[in-house]
């Protein structure tokens, strides 16, 4: 990496990457960065655990292990470095503040929070890139959606009055179905917390809110296989983020979660506890679930991401398209780790080569850049398919 390789207005890039955390989502993306960065440091709870994580991934000698604390990281950060956070979302804001203070760029795979967003103007003013939503979901789902919208605009016309349905469902599930119909790919407490958050989406042309998202679960068929899908978070702001044509009106717009058929029944006792709303009991349930359904080296995960767009214009003119990613983990790497770390590493590569602008980027942002990223991800071994019809 050549120091100073930057885009217009961007701060110099040093070529050093600090990857913070080595949990379940840290996969071959870390190795990919070792191939292109001048120097990679892996920060974990202790130096020994960082060294062990590198050894497990065959990266001993290719990255430097470090014991993570925020002051320890700050002491080693230099202007133009890139900080990659694999920590829980609440820790991103203080980490970003430290990065900005040391004139370092920042990247993560999580949704952008208000606490992160508040710091973007300062980062942009100093030529720093803040890359967020650059994992699987959010991340690859954005690339798929932007790619579909661009194709539909070419086919139907962005100024043509039309209605559309856009659905984006993603799920981490067991490759071999179990009685629980689930495999934890992140902390059970986080899974339960997400289920307690209301979901806002568009259905039948109107904004709708599900106070308990699982109660909006419905069948979703993909290539003949029936899944269960439910909305999560707030889908509505993504209508603007995806820059859908103003002449198109949404019939349905929902981003949500995909589960195995039978999940709703298998999780009935969990939902009953969530409905009681006792925080202590829910915390105890999360610990119980972690003990009862541990993630082991023997089982294999599966990731399914299906993003579909159907546009109907006047005189019955219609265009439909779908991207599908369906990946299964291997003995070397889980599907979740591959699908989160690979796009994040790709985004970091584009910080290193200066092609991402200063300020906030949510994944690739534009349709043109999304197509470029998808081609690069395919070359990196992230497989997916595209289908369209008229």
């Amino acid at each position: 990496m050549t120091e100073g390789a930057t885009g217009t207005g961007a701060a110099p890039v040093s070529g050093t990457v600090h990857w913070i955390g080595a949990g379940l989502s840290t996969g071959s993306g870390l190795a990919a960065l070792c191939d292109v960065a001048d120097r990679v440091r892996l920060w974990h709870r202790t130096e020994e655990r960082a060294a062990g994580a590198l050894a497990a991934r065959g990266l001993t000698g290719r990255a430097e292990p470090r014991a993570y604390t925020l002051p320890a990281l700050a002491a080693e950060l230099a202007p133009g470095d890139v900080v990659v956070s694999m920590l829980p979302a609440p820790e991103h804001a203080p980490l970003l503040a430290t990065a900005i203070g040391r004139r370092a760029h920042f990247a993560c795979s999580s949704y952008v929070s208000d606490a992160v967003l508040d710091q973007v103007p300062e980062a942009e003013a100093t030529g720093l890139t803040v890359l967020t939503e650059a994992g699987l979901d959010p991340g690859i789902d954005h690339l798929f959606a932007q790619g579909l919208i661009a194709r539909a605009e070419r086919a139907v016309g962005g100024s043509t009055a039309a209605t559309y349905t856009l659905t984006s469902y993603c799920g981490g599930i067991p490759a071999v179905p179990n009685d629980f119909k689930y495999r934890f790919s992140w902390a059970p407490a986080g899974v339960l917390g997400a289920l307690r958050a209301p979901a806002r989406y568009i259905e039948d042309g109107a904004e709708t809110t599900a106070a308990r998202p699982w109660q909006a679960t419905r069948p979703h068929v993909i290539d003949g296989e029936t899944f269960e899908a439910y909305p999560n978070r707030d889908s509505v702001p993504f209508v603007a983020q995806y820059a859908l044509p103003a002449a198109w009106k949404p019939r349905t717009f929902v981003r949500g979660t995909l589960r195995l058929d039978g999940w709703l029944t298998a999780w009935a006792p969990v939902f009953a506890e969530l409905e009681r709303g006792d925080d202590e009991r829910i915390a105890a349930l999360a610990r119980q679930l972690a003990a009862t359904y541990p993630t082991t080296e023997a089982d294999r995960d599966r990731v399914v991401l299906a993003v579909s767009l159907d546009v109907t214009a006047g005189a019955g003119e219609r265009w439909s398209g779908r991207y599908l990613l369906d990946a299964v983990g291997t003995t070397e790497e889980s599907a979740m780790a591959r699908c989160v770390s690979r796009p994040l590493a790709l985004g970091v590569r584009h910080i290193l080569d200066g092609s991402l602008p200063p300020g906030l980027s949510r994944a690739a942002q534009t349709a043109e850049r999304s197509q470029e990223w998808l081609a690069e991800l395919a070359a990196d071994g992230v497989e997916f398919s595209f289908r369209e019809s008229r």
Side-chain angles (χ1 to χ4, degrees), residues 88-112:
E91 298 188 49
H92 292 335
L95 194 52
L96 173 59
T98 299
I100 294 173
R102 302 294 294 172
R103 298 296 185 264
H105 306 275
F106 178 86
C108 71
S109 61
S110 302
Y111 286 99
V112 62

Side-chain angles (χ1 to χ4, degrees), residues 65-160:
R66 292 289 192 274
Y68 174 72
T69 66
L70 204 51
L73 173 68
E76 292 207 36
L77 276 180
D81 287 1
V82 183
V83 173
V84 182
S85 178
M86 301 299 286
L87 300 179
E91 298 188 49
H92 292 335
L95 194 52
L96 173 59
T98 299
I100 294 173
R102 302 294 294 172
R103 298 296 185 264
H105 306 275
F106 178 86
C108 71
S109 61
S110 302
Y111 286 99
V112 62
S113 65
D114 289 341
V116 167
L117 204 57
D118 288 344
Q119 300 181 65
V120 169
E122 182 182 0
E124 186 170 8
T126 51
L128 299 173
T129 298
V130 179
L131 173 65
T132 66
E133 302 182 17
L136 168 66
D137 172 13
I140 298 177
D141 57 342
H142 294 343
L143 307 182
F144 284 175
Q146 288 159 344
L148 290 173
I149 293 164
R151 290 172 184 270
E153 282 193 84
R154 288 194 295 270
V156 175
S159 60
T160 301

Side-chain angles (χ1 to χ4, degrees), residues 193-258:
L195 284 168
R196 298 178 74 185
R200 189 166 70 120
Y201 55 103
I202 297 172
E203 188 173 46
D204 295 328
E207 291 185 12
T208 304
T209 299
R212 294 169 175 157
W214 68 86
Q215 293 181 345
T217 301
R218 61 197 60 188
H220 191 71
V221 179
I222 302 173
D223 290 353
E225 181 177 0
T226 300
F227 295 88
E228 293 179 348
Y230 63 90
N232 61 5
R233 294 182 174 265
D234 189 353
S235 298
V236 176
F238 289 90
V239 174
Q241 183 172 320
Y242 290 165
L244 282 138
W248 298 1
K249 304 303 178 187
R251 293 190 304 272
T252 300
F253 188 101
V254 57
R255 302 175 73 255
T257 299
L258 208 61

Side-chain angles (χ1 to χ4, degrees), residues 47-385:
E47 187 172 333
E48 291 74 20
R49 294 190 68 169
L54 290 174
R57 293 168 174 81
L59 297 176
T60 300
R62 299 184 62 197
E64 304 167 10
R66 292 289 192 274
Y68 174 72
T69 66
L70 204 51
L73 173 68
E76 292 207 36
L77 276 180
D81 287 1
V82 183
V83 173
V84 182
S85 178
M86 301 299 286
L87 300 179
E91 298 188 49
H92 292 335
L95 194 52
L96 173 59
T98 299
I100 294 173
R102 302 294 294 172
R103 298 296 185 264
H105 306 275
F106 178 86
C108 71
S109 61
S110 302
Y111 286 99
V112 62
S113 65
D114 289 341
V116 167
L117 204 57
D118 288 344
Q119 300 181 65
V120 169
E122 182 182 0
E124 186 170 8
T126 51
L128 299 173
T129 298
V130 179
L131 173 65
T132 66
E133 302 182 17
L136 168 66
D137 172 13
I140 298 177
D141 57 342
H142 294 343
L143 307 182
F144 284 175
Q146 288 159 344
L148 290 173
I149 293 164
R151 290 172 184 270
E153 282 193 84
R154 288 194 295 270
V156 175
S159 60
T160 301
T163 58
Y164 68 88
T165 291
L166 190 151
T167 61
S168 179
Y169 291 117
C170 183
I173 55 181
V176 178
N178 54 24
D179 291 341
F180 194 49
K181 304 296 182 179
Y182 191 69
R183 178 189 186 275
F184 286 103
S185 56
W186 56 309
V191 176
L192 299 185
L195 284 168
R196 298 178 74 185
R200 189 166 70 120
Y201 55 103
I202 297 172
E203 188 173 46
D204 295 328
E207 291 185 12
T208 304
T209 299
R212 294 169 175 157
W214 68 86
Q215 293 181 345
T217 301
R218 61 197 60 188
H220 191 71
V221 179
I222 302 173
D223 290 353
E225 181 177 0
T226 300
F227 295 88
E228 293 179 348
Y230 63 90
N232 61 5
R233 294 182 174 265
D234 189 353
S235 298
V236 176
F238 289 90
V239 174
Q241 183 172 320
Y242 290 165
L244 282 138
W248 298 1
K249 304 303 178 187
R251 293 190 304 272
T252 300
F253 188 101
V254 57
R255 302 175 73 255
T257 299
L258 208 61
R259 295 287 179 249
L260 287 173
D261 191 30
W263 170 80
L264 202 60
T265 299
W267 276 54
V270 175
F271 301 141
E273 200 64 71
L274 294 179
E275 288 177 353
R276 292 187 185 98
D278 186 312
D279 291 344
E280 289 188 7
R281 289 181 58 140
I282 292 171
L285 174 60
R287 292 190 293 271
Q288 177 189 335
L289 291 174
T292 306
Y293 303 101
T295 299
T296 71
E297 296 294 330
D299 61 344
R300 296 285 169 263
D301 72 327
R302 179 185 177 195
V303 166
V304 180
L305 169 61
V307 182
S308 299
L309 176 63
D310 297 287
V311 181
T312 302
E317 183 181 5
R318 181 176 179 180
W319 182 91
S320 297
R322 186 200 71 183
Y323 276 105
L324 174 64
L325 181 156
D326 191 343
V328 175
T330 66
T331 54
E332 292 79 22
E333 179 182 34
S334 72
M336 186 63 70
R338 184 190 323 146
C339 293
V340 171
S341 69
R342 281 284 180 168
L344 181 56
L346 174 61
V348 174
R349 277 162 44 193
H350 287 309
I351 295 176
L352 292 172
D353 68 20
S355 60
L356 278 185
L360 180 67
S361 288
R362 292 177 170 98
Q365 293 285 101
T366 67
E368 181 180 4
R369 191 175 290 145
S370 292
Q371 289 302 114
E372 293 170 357
W373 279 36
L374 288 175
E376 289 171 306
L377 284 174
D380 284 347
V382 178
E383 298 180 356
F384 53 86
S385 62

